[in-house]
């Protein structure tokens, strides 16, 4: 039988993605995901029942304290923790990465509720109010291949990863940043198994390479699971 391109497309496993849609930049993620061929659908998540239907999740940027508060009120905090603990692929961008972290510094008085799962400590609002947003071209492991194709990373009141708390966390990107006299590279993207964290906002660019990478991680995750269940 002669296969057409469409047959191959249909043969590919396709996955359902959710984007936490309580607050922040969720629509942009949905839009990018919808244009990736291995994505069967991308839906906004506002309720625990919706979370149960998806294979992978993005927690977007916005305001981590507000998002945690709304998630708590909507009864989503525990289902989100369960989702991440079960090993399902989850990617946090900016405020989303703060929520995915196991520890956060510079949190509001009274602390901050986190989803956790990603073994890192983050510093919220690392760049202060003077430079609260900027763009930087980054080399990202597994994603950019040479200095000609760096990733345009947009940082908005961004956190950074101040420490890596497990050897299973892989550093994907660092930002050269002048602090006083010294130039200290700051960690701004990590991966731990099927969990991904980026301090910046890839959904605000028209570069979909990190989204495609996350879809690939999802595919790899379910392929491995299938192998295990055989
Ligand atoms: N500063 C925000 C927070 O702490 C994150 C900002 C963002 O997501 N762009 O939640």
């Amino acid at each position: 039988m002669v296969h057409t391109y469409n047959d191959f497309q249909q043969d590919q496993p396709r996955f359902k993605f959710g984007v936490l849609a309580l607050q922040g930049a969720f629509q942009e993620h949905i839009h990018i995901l919808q244009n990736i061929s291995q994505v069967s659908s991308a839906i906004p998540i506002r309720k625990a029942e919706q979370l149960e239907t998806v294979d992978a999740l993005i927690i977007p940027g916005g305001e981590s304290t507000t998002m945690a508060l709304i998630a708590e009120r909507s009864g989503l905090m525990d289902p989100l923790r369960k989702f991440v603990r079960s090993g399902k692929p989850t990617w946090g961008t900016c405020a989303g990465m703060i929520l995915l972290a196991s520890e956060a510094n510079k949190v509001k008085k009274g602390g901050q509720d986190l989803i956790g799962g990603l073994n890192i400590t983050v510093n919220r609002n690392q760049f202060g109010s003077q430079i609260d947003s900027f763009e930087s071209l980054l080399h990202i492991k597994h994603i950019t291949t040479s200095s000609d194709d760096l990733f345009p990373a947009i940082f908005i009141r961004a956190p950074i990863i101040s420490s890596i708390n497990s050897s299973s966390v892989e550093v994907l990107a660092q930002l050269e940043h002048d602090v006083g006299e010294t130039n200290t590279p700051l960690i701004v993207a990590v991966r731990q198994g099927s969990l991904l964290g980026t301090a910046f906002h890839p959904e605000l660019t028209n570069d979909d390479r990190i989204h495609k990478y996350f879809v690939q991680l999802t595919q790899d995750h379910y392929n491995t699971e299938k192998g295990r269940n055989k």
Side-chain angles (χ1 to χ4, degrees):
M1 188 179 135
V2 179
H3 278 289
T4 63
Y5 176 69
N6 271 340
D7 289 334
F8 284 116
Q9 288 258 310
Q10 275 157 17
D11 285 349
Q12 272 186 358
R14 299 180 85 217
F15 299 96
K16 185 170 174 183
F17 284 75
V19 183
L20 191 66
L22 304 175
Q23 188 259 344
F26 54 87
Q27 200 52 54
E28 293 83 349
H29 279 296
I30 292 178
H31 181 74
I32 298 183
L33 286 170
Q34 279 168 341
N35 287 308
I36 299 177
S37 66
Q38 298 101 305
V39 175
S40 61
S41 62
I43 61 159
I45 303 291
R46 298 192 177 91
K47 292 188 180 129
E49 304 88 84
Q50 296 166 324
L51 187 60
E52 278 166 21
T53 70
V54 298
D55 302 307
L57 177 74
I58 295 182
I59 308 174
E63 196 54 50
S64 54
T65 12
T66 314
M67 242 188 269
L69 256 171
I70 308 176
E72 194 61 67
R73 276 190 212 142
S74 329
L76 255 173
M77 214 53 184
D78 282 334
L80 282 167
R81 290 191 179 113
K82 256 207 208 131
F83 187 93
V84 176
R85 301 284 185 281
S86 74
K88 289 195 179 152
T90 308
W91 172 19
T93 57
C94 204
M97 182 183 79
I98 298 174
L99 291 173
L100 260 192
S102 51
E103 251 177 79
N105 292 328
K106 301 191 192 165
V107 295
K108 288 204 174 130
K109 248 194 172 158
Q112 173 160 2
D113 249 357
L114 301 173
I115 296 165
L118 192 48
N119 274 308
I120 55 170
T121 306
V122 295
N123 274 349
R124 287 186 67 213
N125 302 320
Q126 169 74 21
F127 304 96
S129 53
Q130 286 100 337
I131 32 166
D132 61 24
S133 59
F134 59 95
E135 192 176 324
S136 180
L137 289 170
L138 289 184
H139 170 63
I140 306 178
K141 214 168 152 191
H142 310 304
I143 289 163
T144 58
T145 50
S146 72
S147 49
D148 295 330
D149 77 340
L150 298 175
F151 193 91
I154 299 174
F155 292 84
I156 305 169
R157 288 175 289 107
I160 55 121
I161 296 145
S162 57
S163 82
I164 303 276
N165 306 329
S166 157
S167 57
S168 56
V169 177
E170 179 186 18
V171 173
L172 300 185
Q174 288 181 289
L175 173 76
E176 300 292 330
H177 185 71
D178 292 323
V179 184
E181 302 284 281
T182 52
N183 186 306
T184 346
L186 302 171
I187 303 171
V188 291
V190 291
R191 177 179 92 113
Q192 181 178 10
S194 305
L195 301 181
L196 191 61
T198 54
F200 46 93
H201 285 261
E203 78 288 3
L204 302 181
T205 63
N206 46 25
D207 192 325
D208 63 1
R209 283 180 289 172
I210 308 186
H211 287 81
K212 285 187 168 151
Y213 177 67
F214 182 57
V215 171
Q216 189 58 52
L217 284 183
T218 302
Q219 202 162 350
D220 294 347
H221 170 81
Y222 287 101
N223 278 344
T224 321
E225 260 206 346
K226 235 179 21 201
R228 232 187 267 128
N229 293 337
K230 262 186 192 158

